[in-house]
Amino acid sequence: MEPQDRRLVDGQPPAGRTGAGRDDGIWRDWLLRRAGPDRLSQVFWDGLALVSFQVPIYAAIIAVSGASGRGLLMGVLGATLMMLALGRPYGAFLNVVRTSFGLSPGGDRPMSLQD
């Protein structure tokens, strides 16, 4: 699994990422360096990177929107489960779309990060 797997081809953050795509990618790349060569380790660290970065942002958004107490907790837990359950299928779908347009799976690094 390459560090840039969740980035779009043009390097822009996916919709709904609140403009934190680059920071998320940097955080994910840093955490994935700890992953071992086996798939289970990579999936674990990838999931941890997703949850540890996106869930606090989501929690802040729904708290500012008025959620509190049990509603906030249930919203955060539900979103966490959805992120973990749907992240892989969504990534596979994006790779199918990229391949159908003749692009490489996993996307490219943003132009600003090219060597």
XYZ file of all heavy atoms in Angstrom:
866
model
N 0.855 -1.172 0.000
C 0.000 0.000 0.000
C 0.896 1.229 0.000
O 1.716 1.406 0.859
C -0.885 -0.035 1.239
C -1.771 1.145 1.381
S -2.796 1.133 2.869
C -3.125 -0.578 3.096
N 0.697 2.082 -0.975
C 1.497 3.288 -1.085
C 0.894 4.396 -0.230
O -0.321 4.472 -0.078
C 1.575 3.734 -2.546
C 2.311 2.744 -3.431
C 3.755 2.570 -3.023
O 4.403 3.563 -2.644
O 4.233 1.433 -3.062
N 1.721 5.286 0.316
C 1.209 6.360 1.172
C 0.171 7.253 0.499
O -0.702 7.784 1.146
C 2.454 7.160 1.535
C 3.567 6.200 1.404
C 3.166 5.267 0.284
N 0.246 7.409 -0.819
C -0.659 8.321 -1.489
C -1.960 7.653 -1.930
O -2.722 8.244 -2.661
C 0.032 8.986 -2.687
C 0.352 8.040 -3.816
C 1.720 7.405 -3.679
O 2.331 7.447 -2.640
N 2.208 6.804 -4.730
N -2.278 6.460 -1.465
C -3.459 5.733 -1.907
C -4.762 6.506 -1.787
O -5.655 6.326 -2.592
C -3.613 4.420 -1.144
C -2.669 3.353 -1.642
O -2.014 3.532 -2.675
O -2.590 2.327 -0.970
N -4.926 7.353 -0.764
C -6.196 8.028 -0.560
C -6.261 9.387 -1.228
O -7.246 10.085 -1.108
C -6.481 8.176 0.934
C -6.810 6.860 1.550
C -7.433 6.959 2.909
N -7.340 8.226 3.558
C -6.966 8.394 4.821
N -6.639 7.366 5.553
N -6.932 9.566 5.361
N -5.242 9.787 -1.944
C -5.261 11.095 -2.604
C -5.883 10.963 -3.982
O -5.721 9.967 -4.667
C -3.852 11.633 -2.742
C -3.252 11.945 -1.402
C -1.968 12.718 -1.576
N -1.357 12.854 -0.298
C -0.250 12.207 0.061
N 0.369 11.418 -0.758
N 0.248 12.366 1.258
N -6.572 12.012 -4.410
C -7.112 12.033 -5.756
C -5.996 12.312 -6.744
O -4.928 12.801 -6.389
C -8.202 13.096 -5.873
C -9.470 12.791 -5.080
C -10.487 13.907 -5.288
C -10.060 11.465 -5.493
N -6.274 12.042 -8.032
C -5.260 12.178 -9.070
C -4.694 13.587 -9.134
O -3.501 13.780 -9.284
C -5.865 11.765 -10.428
C -4.901 12.046 -11.552
C -6.214 10.280 -10.381
N -5.536 14.607 -8.980
C -5.039 15.978 -9.081
C -4.478 16.503 -7.771
O -4.110 17.665 -7.676
C -6.133 16.904 -9.589
C -7.309 16.984 -8.635
O -7.329 16.258 -7.635
O -8.211 17.788 -8.916
N -4.433 15.643 -6.740
C -3.843 16.042 -5.479
C -4.759 16.850 -4.587
O -4.344 17.315 -3.534
N -6.005 17.025 -4.976
C -6.940 17.783 -4.164
C -7.584 16.875 -3.128
O -7.816 15.704 -3.388
C -8.033 18.406 -5.038
C -7.473 19.390 -6.045
C -6.758 20.536 -5.363
O -7.279 21.135 -4.445
N -5.555 20.833 -5.813
N -7.913 17.391 -1.953
C -8.569 16.565 -0.940
C -9.964 16.184 -1.387
O -10.637 16.981 -2.034
C -8.615 17.459 0.294
C -8.452 18.833 -0.224
C -7.664 18.740 -1.495
N -10.427 14.960 -1.087
C -11.785 14.564 -1.431
C -12.811 15.477 -0.765
O -12.547 16.072 0.273
C -11.890 13.148 -0.869
C -10.484 12.680 -0.761
C -9.664 13.901 -0.473
N -13.982 15.573 -1.384
C -15.054 16.410 -0.832
C -15.379 15.962 0.584
O -15.346 14.786 0.901
C -16.286 16.301 -1.719
N -15.674 16.907 1.436
C -16.024 16.589 2.805
C -14.830 16.485 3.732
O -14.968 16.215 4.909
N -13.639 16.703 3.236
C -12.450 16.597 4.070
C -12.107 17.912 4.741
O -11.062 18.066 5.321
C -11.240 16.160 3.236
C -11.251 14.718 2.858
C -10.592 13.919 3.974
N -10.517 12.539 3.625
C -9.441 11.949 3.163
N -8.336 12.602 2.982
N -9.475 10.669 2.874
N -12.958 18.899 4.638
C -12.796 20.199 5.272
C -11.455 20.869 4.946
O -10.928 21.602 5.763
C -12.961 20.113 6.802
O -11.889 19.328 7.347
C -14.295 19.547 7.194
N -10.909 20.597 3.787
C -9.663 21.243 3.405
C -8.438 20.751 4.142
O -7.392 21.370 4.091
N -8.546 19.646 4.830
C -7.422 19.124 5.615
C -6.721 17.970 4.904
O -5.985 17.222 5.521
C -7.925 18.667 6.985
N -6.940 17.829 3.613
C -6.395 16.695 2.869
C -4.881 16.586 2.924
O -4.336 15.506 3.117
N -4.185 17.686 2.761
C -2.726 17.640 2.778
C -2.219 17.248 4.165
O -1.350 16.403 4.305
C -2.127 18.975 2.382
C -0.599 18.981 2.506
C -0.050 20.278 2.054
N -0.195 20.317 0.623
C 0.806 20.542 -0.207
N 1.991 20.797 0.247
N 0.618 20.538 -1.500
N -2.787 17.854 5.201
C -2.372 17.508 6.564
C -2.675 16.044 6.875
O -1.879 15.354 7.504
C -3.076 18.409 7.582
C -2.715 19.865 7.398
O -1.568 20.135 6.996
O -3.577 20.717 7.647
N -3.834 15.578 6.419
C -4.200 14.177 6.606
C -3.194 13.268 5.910
O -2.751 12.261 6.460
C -5.610 13.936 6.061
C -6.095 12.509 6.251
O -5.586 11.810 7.153
O -6.991 12.095 5.508
N -2.806 13.627 4.700
C -1.841 12.822 3.958
C -0.479 12.771 4.632
O 0.167 11.723 4.691
N -0.050 13.898 5.144
C 1.235 13.950 5.860
C 1.168 13.086 7.111
O 2.080 12.306 7.398
C 1.617 15.403 6.194
C 1.930 16.166 4.906
C 2.794 15.456 7.159
C 2.038 17.662 5.075
N 0.074 13.212 7.878
C -0.130 12.405 9.091
C -0.161 10.918 8.740
O 0.477 10.097 9.382
C -1.432 12.836 9.772
C -1.843 12.009 10.941
C -2.909 11.162 11.007
C -1.217 11.938 12.226
N -2.986 10.571 12.239
C -1.948 11.041 13.016
C -0.096 12.555 12.777
C -1.614 10.735 14.323
C 0.242 12.252 14.089
C -0.502 11.357 14.839
N -0.910 10.572 7.678
C -1.039 9.167 7.264
C 0.316 8.600 6.832
O 0.687 7.492 7.219
C -2.050 9.060 6.130
C -2.287 7.642 5.676
C -3.400 7.620 4.633
N -3.594 6.272 4.178
C -3.006 5.752 3.121
N -2.176 6.480 2.400
N -3.232 4.506 2.772
N 1.041 9.358 6.023
C 2.366 8.900 5.589
C 3.277 8.652 6.785
O 4.008 7.666 6.837
C 3.018 9.929 4.649
C 2.322 10.024 3.306
O 1.432 9.196 3.013
O 2.661 10.950 2.543
N 3.241 9.556 7.767
C 4.085 9.422 8.958
C 3.720 8.165 9.735
O 4.600 7.419 10.164
C 3.940 10.679 9.816
C 4.802 10.684 11.031
C 6.145 10.924 11.085
C 4.387 10.422 12.373
N 6.587 10.839 12.381
C 5.523 10.525 13.197
C 3.170 10.116 12.958
C 5.477 10.323 14.569
C 3.124 9.917 14.327
C 4.266 10.026 15.112
N 2.420 7.922 9.931
C 2.006 6.726 10.670
C 2.279 5.442 9.896
O 2.652 4.427 10.486
C 0.520 6.798 11.030
C 0.165 7.563 12.286
C -1.336 7.527 12.524
C 0.885 7.033 13.503
N 2.097 5.462 8.581
C 2.291 4.236 7.792
C 3.747 3.787 7.753
O 4.030 2.640 7.440
C 1.753 4.412 6.372
C 0.244 4.271 6.253
C -0.207 4.501 4.825
C -0.229 2.917 6.740
N 4.668 4.663 8.097
C 6.075 4.234 8.180
C 6.271 3.207 9.287
O 7.258 2.489 9.299
C 6.985 5.440 8.426
C 7.155 6.295 7.212
C 8.233 7.358 7.419
N 7.856 8.513 6.640
C 7.620 9.712 7.116
N 7.769 9.964 8.391
N 7.263 10.697 6.336
N 5.345 3.156 10.228
C 5.427 2.190 11.327
C 4.854 0.831 10.959
O 5.014 -0.131 11.686
C 4.695 2.732 12.561
C 5.498 3.805 13.260
C 4.654 5.000 13.611
N 5.458 6.046 14.213
C 6.158 6.932 13.516
N 6.176 6.904 12.218
N 6.853 7.868 14.129
N 4.141 0.758 9.845
C 3.499 -0.488 9.433
C 4.541 -1.500 8.964
O 5.533 -1.144 8.329
C 2.504 -0.228 8.303
N 4.294 -2.744 9.305
C 5.149 -3.820 8.829
C 4.811 -4.158 7.387
O 3.890 -3.593 6.801
N 5.528 -5.106 6.811
C 5.299 -5.459 5.407
C 4.008 -6.251 5.181
O 3.521 -6.308 4.057
C 6.526 -6.304 5.054
C 6.985 -6.862 6.357
C 6.637 -5.837 7.399
N 3.452 -6.831 6.245
C 2.258 -7.655 6.044
C 1.010 -6.784 5.932
O 0.934 -5.684 6.459
C 2.100 -8.676 7.187
C 1.991 -8.008 8.537
O 2.993 -7.393 8.974
O 0.925 -8.093 9.140
N 0.025 -7.291 5.231
C -1.207 -6.543 4.952
C -1.964 -6.163 6.230
O -2.495 -5.060 6.324
C -2.105 -7.362 4.028
C -3.386 -6.654 3.662
C -3.729 -6.881 2.213
N -4.999 -6.321 1.878
C -5.188 -5.071 1.487
N -4.161 -4.246 1.422
N -6.382 -4.620 1.176
N -2.006 -7.050 7.205
C -2.728 -6.769 8.445
C -2.147 -5.545 9.155
O -2.883 -4.680 9.622
C -2.707 -7.989 9.372
C -3.501 -7.847 10.660
C -4.977 -7.593 10.368
C -3.342 -9.100 11.509
N -0.835 -5.463 9.204
C -0.186 -4.309 9.818
C -0.504 -3.028 9.046
O -0.798 -1.986 9.640
C 1.324 -4.519 9.878
O 1.971 -3.385 10.405
N -0.475 -3.093 7.725
C -0.764 -1.923 6.906
C -2.207 -1.466 7.074
O -2.477 -0.272 7.196
C -0.462 -2.221 5.442
C 1.008 -2.421 5.193
C 1.306 -2.831 3.769
O 0.409 -3.023 2.957
N 2.582 -2.971 3.458
N -3.140 -2.421 7.118
C -4.551 -2.077 7.304
C -4.761 -1.462 8.684
O -5.478 -0.465 8.837
C -5.454 -3.311 7.093
C -6.871 -3.059 7.562
C -5.445 -3.731 5.632
N -4.113 -2.027 9.709
C -4.237 -1.483 11.061
C -3.755 -0.040 11.128
O -4.452 0.847 11.623
C -3.459 -2.346 12.069
C -3.355 -1.686 13.424
C -4.425 -1.714 14.301
C -2.194 -1.020 13.800
C -4.336 -1.081 15.543
C -2.098 -0.390 15.037
C -3.177 -0.430 15.905
N -2.548 0.226 10.633
C -1.980 1.571 10.714
C -2.734 2.557 9.830
O -2.882 3.730 10.169
C -0.487 1.557 10.387
C 0.306 0.989 11.515
C 0.802 -0.277 11.620
C 0.651 1.656 12.731
N 1.447 -0.426 12.827
C 1.373 0.738 13.525
C 0.439 2.930 13.221
C 1.868 1.065 14.779
C 0.926 3.267 14.474
C 1.636 2.340 15.238
N -3.240 2.087 8.690
C -4.035 2.946 7.827
C -5.339 3.334 8.527
O -5.741 4.498 8.518
C -4.323 2.239 6.505
C -5.016 3.144 5.509
O -4.707 4.349 5.460
O -5.874 2.645 4.760
N -5.989 2.365 9.164
C -7.219 2.649 9.907
C -6.971 3.588 11.069
O -7.754 4.514 11.328
N -5.878 3.373 11.778
C -5.521 4.247 12.897
C -5.267 5.673 12.412
O -5.698 6.641 13.040
C -4.291 3.708 13.632
C -3.833 4.525 14.839
C -4.910 4.526 15.926
C -2.525 3.978 15.380
N -4.591 5.805 11.280
C -4.331 7.134 10.721
C -5.647 7.829 10.371
O -5.835 9.008 10.690
C -3.432 7.026 9.490
N -6.551 7.100 9.749
C -7.844 7.671 9.369
C -8.617 8.134 10.598
O -9.059 9.285 10.683
C -8.667 6.641 8.592
C -10.115 7.035 8.290
C -10.157 8.182 7.296
C -10.887 5.842 7.775
N -8.766 7.243 11.563
C -9.573 7.545 12.743
C -8.930 8.642 13.596
O -9.608 9.564 14.046
C -9.815 6.262 13.565
C -10.429 6.569 14.908
C -10.706 5.311 12.778
N -7.635 8.574 13.789
C -6.981 9.542 14.672
C -6.933 10.945 14.080
O -6.791 11.922 14.811
C -5.568 9.073 15.041
O -4.742 9.012 13.894
N -7.079 11.068 12.770
C -7.071 12.401 12.165
C -8.486 12.897 11.877
O -8.837 14.021 12.220
C -6.257 12.399 10.863
C -6.005 13.785 10.332
C -4.902 14.498 10.744
C -6.879 14.375 9.434
C -4.667 15.784 10.274
C -6.664 15.655 8.964
C -5.555 16.362 9.384
N -9.314 12.070 11.248
C -10.626 12.522 10.790
C -11.674 12.606 11.904
O -12.520 13.488 11.882
C -11.138 11.606 9.675
C -10.340 11.687 8.411
C -10.389 13.056 7.751
O -11.386 13.772 7.840
N -9.307 13.437 7.105
N -11.635 11.686 12.852
C -12.672 11.669 13.895
C -12.650 12.935 14.760
O -13.711 13.511 15.021
C -12.606 10.370 14.724
C -13.499 10.445 15.945
C -12.998 9.182 13.857
N -11.495 13.424 15.207
C -11.525 14.682 15.970
C -12.092 15.856 15.169
O -12.816 16.702 15.721
C -10.055 14.919 16.332
C -9.450 13.562 16.328
C -10.151 12.826 15.219
N -11.805 15.900 13.869
C -12.362 16.968 13.030
C -13.882 16.823 12.963
O -14.628 17.792 13.125
C -11.738 16.945 11.623
C -10.254 17.315 11.696
C -12.494 17.872 10.673
C -9.500 17.139 10.394
N -14.344 15.592 12.736
C -15.782 15.351 12.670
C -16.441 15.691 14.002
O -17.515 16.310 14.033
C -16.053 13.899 12.277
C -17.525 13.590 12.216
C -18.301 14.052 11.151
C -18.143 12.871 13.219
C -19.658 13.798 11.094
C -19.502 12.608 13.167
C -20.255 13.072 12.104
O -21.591 12.824 12.061
N -15.830 15.298 15.097
C -16.386 15.586 16.418
C -16.515 17.092 16.629
O -17.532 17.570 17.159
C -15.513 14.965 17.508
N -15.508 17.839 16.226
C -15.563 19.297 16.367
C -16.690 19.884 15.522
O -17.420 20.775 15.979
C -14.221 19.915 15.982
N -16.851 19.377 14.306
C -17.899 19.886 13.419
C -19.280 19.644 14.016
O -20.120 20.545 14.057
C -17.791 19.252 12.015
C -16.538 19.777 11.306
C -19.053 19.524 11.187
C -16.192 19.037 10.030
N -19.535 18.417 14.512
C -20.877 18.167 15.038
C -21.080 18.823 16.399
O -22.198 19.167 16.756
C -21.251 16.665 15.048
C -20.358 15.840 15.952
C -21.249 16.118 13.634
C -20.803 14.394 16.083
N -20.003 19.044 17.161
C -20.136 19.774 18.426
C -20.492 21.234 18.159
O -21.360 21.807 18.817
C -18.849 19.674 19.239
N -19.834 21.843 17.185
C -20.136 23.229 16.825
C -21.561 23.336 16.276
O -22.233 24.353 16.460
C -19.096 23.762 15.799
C -19.548 25.054 15.158
C -17.747 23.924 16.462
N -22.038 22.267 15.655
C -23.400 22.253 15.103
C -24.455 22.054 16.181
O -25.648 22.068 15.884
C -23.523 21.153 14.054
O -22.639 21.393 12.989
N -24.041 21.810 17.420
C -25.000 21.725 18.506
C -25.101 20.380 19.199
O -25.841 20.246 20.167
N -24.392 19.376 18.735
C -24.452 18.070 19.392
C -23.677 18.123 20.703
O -22.661 18.799 20.815
C -23.864 16.990 18.490
N -24.178 17.402 21.686
C -23.464 17.320 22.959
C -23.848 16.028 23.660
O -24.810 15.363 23.283
C -23.795 18.519 23.853
O -25.174 18.527 24.178
N -23.082 15.681 24.666
C -23.377 14.499 25.474
C -23.494 13.227 24.672
O -22.647 12.912 23.836
N -24.573 12.498 24.927
C -24.789 11.201 24.285
C -24.903 11.325 22.758
O -24.403 10.496 22.019
C -26.039 10.543 24.851
C -26.309 9.160 24.288
C -27.425 8.471 25.062
N -27.902 7.273 24.408
C -27.278 6.105 24.416
N -26.130 5.987 25.056
N -27.798 5.075 23.803
N -25.540 12.394 22.292
C -25.661 12.594 20.850
C -24.308 12.755 20.181
O -24.060 12.197 19.112
N -23.428 13.508 20.812
C -22.081 13.690 20.286
C -21.323 12.370 20.289
O -20.705 11.990 19.286
C -21.329 14.741 21.113
C -19.887 15.017 20.731
C -19.789 15.586 19.327
C -19.256 15.980 21.727
N -21.409 11.647 21.401
C -20.722 10.359 21.502
C -21.226 9.374 20.453
O -20.435 8.726 19.769
C -20.889 9.777 22.905
C -20.263 8.400 23.134
C -18.754 8.468 22.978
C -20.650 7.859 24.492
N -22.535 9.267 20.308
C -23.109 8.323 19.350
C -22.770 8.730 17.911
O -22.500 7.884 17.070
C -24.619 8.205 19.535
C -25.022 7.628 20.885
S -24.198 6.067 21.304
C -25.003 4.972 20.185
N -22.781 10.034 17.649
C -22.410 10.501 16.315
C -20.974 10.179 15.979
O -20.665 9.727 14.876
N -20.077 10.390 16.922
C -18.661 10.103 16.707
C -18.426 8.600 16.545
O -17.697 8.170 15.647
C -17.806 10.688 17.853
C -16.380 10.173 17.805
C -17.815 12.207 17.793
N -19.054 7.792 17.400
C -18.891 6.339 17.279
C -19.455 5.829 15.954
O -18.829 5.002 15.279
C -19.564 5.623 18.455
C -18.880 5.760 19.800
C -19.717 5.108 20.901
C -17.487 5.162 19.766
N -20.621 6.326 15.576
C -21.217 5.918 14.303
C -20.353 6.308 13.117
O -20.142 5.519 12.196
N -19.852 7.531 13.128
C -18.990 7.989 12.037
C -17.701 7.182 11.975
O -17.218 6.843 10.887
C -18.673 9.479 12.208
N -17.142 6.849 13.137
C -15.920 6.047 13.173
C -16.148 4.681 12.538
O -15.352 4.224 11.707
C -15.430 5.880 14.625
O -15.190 7.175 15.172
C -14.161 5.054 14.693
N -17.245 4.041 12.903
C -17.565 2.727 12.323
C -17.785 2.824 10.815
O -17.327 1.964 10.062
C -18.783 2.126 13.016
C -18.574 1.715 14.465
C -19.896 1.261 15.093
C -17.521 0.618 14.567
N -18.475 3.869 10.390
C -18.718 4.054 8.950
C -17.402 4.289 8.203
O -17.195 3.729 7.128
C -19.667 5.228 8.711
C -21.061 5.005 9.243
S -21.957 3.758 8.340
C -22.379 4.664 6.891
N -16.531 5.110 8.774
C -15.234 5.367 8.125
C -14.444 4.081 7.966
O -13.868 3.808 6.912
C -14.422 6.367 8.941
C -14.905 7.780 8.882
S -13.868 8.825 9.953
C -14.918 10.228 10.166
N -14.402 3.290 9.035
C -13.628 2.047 8.993
C -14.259 1.014 8.059
O -13.557 0.303 7.347
C -13.479 1.467 10.401
C -12.575 2.278 11.327
C -12.644 1.725 12.750
C -11.136 2.285 10.820
N -15.589 0.937 8.052
C -16.265 -0.071 7.231
C -16.301 0.301 5.752
O -16.207 -0.577 4.887
C -17.694 -0.281 7.738
N -16.416 1.577 5.437
C -16.606 1.991 4.052
C -15.350 2.533 3.381
O -15.340 2.721 2.168
C -17.722 3.036 3.970
C -19.093 2.556 4.445
C -20.096 3.691 4.408
C -19.564 1.384 3.617
N -14.296 2.760 4.146
C -13.077 3.322 3.571
C -12.455 2.445 2.497
O -12.105 2.912 1.416
N -12.323 1.168 2.775
C -11.720 0.253 1.798
C -12.572 0.097 0.540
O -12.061 0.207 -0.564
C -11.477 -1.123 2.425
C -10.411 -1.120 3.446
C -9.063 -1.309 2.795
N -8.060 -1.038 3.800
C -6.949 -0.399 3.577
N -6.662 0.000 2.378
N -6.091 -0.172 4.529
N -13.887 -0.172 0.671
C -14.696 -0.277 -0.555
C -14.673 1.011 -1.386
O -14.633 0.965 -2.614
C -16.110 -0.573 -0.041
C -15.892 -1.207 1.288
C -14.649 -0.551 1.855
N -14.680 2.159 -0.712
C -14.638 3.426 -1.443
C -13.302 3.580 -2.179
O -13.260 4.007 -3.335
C -14.859 4.597 -0.491
C -14.855 5.939 -1.175
C -15.824 6.264 -2.113
C -13.872 6.881 -0.891
C -15.817 7.491 -2.755
C -13.859 8.110 -1.523
C -14.840 8.410 -2.449
O -14.820 9.626 -3.082
N -12.202 3.213 -1.524
C -10.897 3.262 -2.182
C -10.832 2.337 -3.390
O -10.285 2.693 -4.435
N -11.430 1.141 -3.256
C -11.466 0.201 -4.384
C -12.292 0.786 -5.532
O -11.919 0.682 -6.702
C -12.037 -1.140 -3.933
N -13.428 1.423 -5.205
C -14.253 2.070 -6.223
C -13.461 3.163 -6.939
O -13.503 3.264 -8.175
C -15.514 2.655 -5.580
C -16.248 3.610 -6.465
C -16.996 3.150 -7.533
C -16.186 4.975 -6.232
C -17.672 4.033 -8.367
C -16.853 5.869 -7.052
C -17.598 5.400 -8.123
N -12.736 3.991 -6.190
C -11.939 5.045 -6.818
C -10.881 4.463 -7.746
O -10.618 5.013 -8.816
C -11.281 5.917 -5.752
C -12.197 6.837 -4.963
C -11.390 7.613 -3.923
C -12.940 7.789 -5.873
N -10.286 3.340 -7.365
C -9.292 2.709 -8.237
C -9.923 2.197 -9.520
O -9.313 2.275 -10.585
C -8.572 1.582 -7.499
C -7.508 2.111 -6.564
O -7.031 3.232 -6.725
N -7.148 1.314 -5.579
N -11.148 1.671 -9.455
C -11.861 1.234 -10.665
C -12.105 2.430 -11.578
O -11.895 2.359 -12.788
C -13.191 0.527 -10.299
C -14.071 0.339 -11.522
C -12.918 -0.803 -9.629
N -12.552 3.546 -10.999
C -12.796 4.754 -11.791
C -11.499 5.244 -12.420
O -11.448 5.561 -13.611
C -13.451 5.853 -10.927
C -13.518 7.181 -11.668
C -14.840 5.419 -10.478
N -10.413 5.301 -11.639
C -9.124 5.755 -12.170
C -8.674 4.859 -13.327
O -8.227 5.354 -14.361
C -8.060 5.746 -11.070
C -8.216 6.824 -10.046
C -7.109 6.725 -9.000
N -7.348 7.625 -7.890
C -7.612 7.238 -6.661
N -7.641 5.966 -6.344
N -7.834 8.125 -5.726
N -8.791 3.552 -13.128
C -8.368 2.601 -14.158
C -9.215 2.765 -15.424
O -8.688 2.692 -16.537
C -8.457 1.161 -13.622
O -7.636 1.069 -12.452
C -7.972 0.150 -14.643
N -10.503 3.005 -15.269
C -11.376 3.159 -16.441
C -11.014 4.394 -17.263
O -11.318 4.467 -18.440
C -12.843 3.199 -16.022
O -13.145 4.400 -15.353
N -10.354 5.362 -16.650
C -9.896 6.547 -17.361
C -8.423 6.458 -17.739
O -7.809 7.450 -18.132
C -10.149 7.812 -16.523
C -11.587 8.233 -16.508
C -12.419 7.850 -15.473
C -12.110 8.987 -17.537
C -13.745 8.225 -15.452
C -13.448 9.372 -17.535
C -14.267 8.978 -16.490
N -7.841 5.281 -17.590
C -6.450 5.073 -17.980
C -5.433 5.625 -16.998
O -4.279 5.835 -17.356
N -5.848 5.878 -15.765
C -4.941 6.399 -14.745
C -4.479 5.264 -13.841
O -5.133 4.235 -13.741
C -5.651 7.470 -13.906
C -6.204 8.645 -14.705
C -7.106 9.499 -13.841
C -5.073 9.466 -15.279
N -3.368 5.472 -13.169
C -2.872 4.436 -12.273
C -3.689 4.415 -10.980
O -4.098 5.459 -10.490
C -1.396 4.663 -11.947
O -1.242 5.883 -11.271
N -3.931 3.211 -10.430
C -4.647 3.127 -9.153
C -3.867 3.843 -8.057
O -2.649 3.889 -8.072
C -4.720 1.626 -8.871
C -4.500 0.969 -10.177
C -3.607 1.909 -10.958
N -4.578 4.416 -7.104
C -3.937 5.056 -5.962
C -3.677 6.527 -6.127
O -3.359 7.201 -5.159
N -3.826 7.051 -7.297
C -3.630 8.481 -7.488
C -2.160 8.865 -7.545
O -1.257 8.032 -7.433
N -1.921 10.120 -7.745
C -0.562 10.664 -7.839
C -0.321 11.625 -6.686
O -1.247 12.121 -6.064
C -0.391 11.439 -9.159
C -0.493 10.539 -10.366
O -0.090 9.364 -10.255
O -0.975 11.004 -11.416
N 0.934 11.899 -6.448
C 1.276 12.882 -5.416
C 0.909 14.274 -5.944
O 0.969 14.526 -7.130
C 2.767 12.822 -5.125
C 3.173 11.496 -4.499
C 4.620 11.480 -4.132
N 4.926 12.337 -3.007
C 4.720 12.028 -1.736
N 4.191 10.876 -1.426
N 5.050 12.861 -0.772
N 0.538 15.173 -5.069
C 0.246 16.542 -5.501
C 1.466 17.143 -6.194
O 2.607 16.823 -5.880
C -0.043 17.279 -4.189
C -0.398 16.231 -3.222
C 0.358 15.005 -3.627
N 1.198 18.037 -7.145
C 2.292 18.659 -7.885
C 3.268 19.365 -6.957
O 4.470 19.383 -7.212
C 1.743 19.650 -8.909
C 1.068 18.952 -10.055
S 0.363 19.993 -11.354
C 0.806 21.620 -11.004
N 2.788 19.926 -5.871
C 3.660 20.656 -4.958
C 4.612 19.733 -4.206
O 5.587 20.193 -3.618
C 2.841 21.458 -3.966
O 2.024 20.595 -3.196
N 4.332 18.423 -4.200
C 5.205 17.472 -3.512
C 6.058 16.655 -4.463
O 6.765 15.756 -4.056
C 4.367 16.522 -2.643
C 3.594 17.178 -1.512
C 2.784 16.130 -0.759
C 4.528 17.888 -0.561
N 5.986 16.956 -5.771
C 6.801 16.230 -6.737
C 8.264 16.622 -6.585
O 8.582 17.744 -6.202
C 6.332 16.553 -8.170
C 4.912 16.125 -8.477
C 4.739 14.628 -8.520
O 5.676 13.872 -8.740
N 3.508 14.181 -8.300
N 9.117 15.675 -6.873
C 10.569 15.959 -6.794
C 11.042 16.797 -7.947
O 10.581 16.842 -8.984
C 11.365 14.650 -6.767
C 11.087 13.870 -5.486
O 10.979 14.523 -4.436
O 10.993 12.647 -5.573
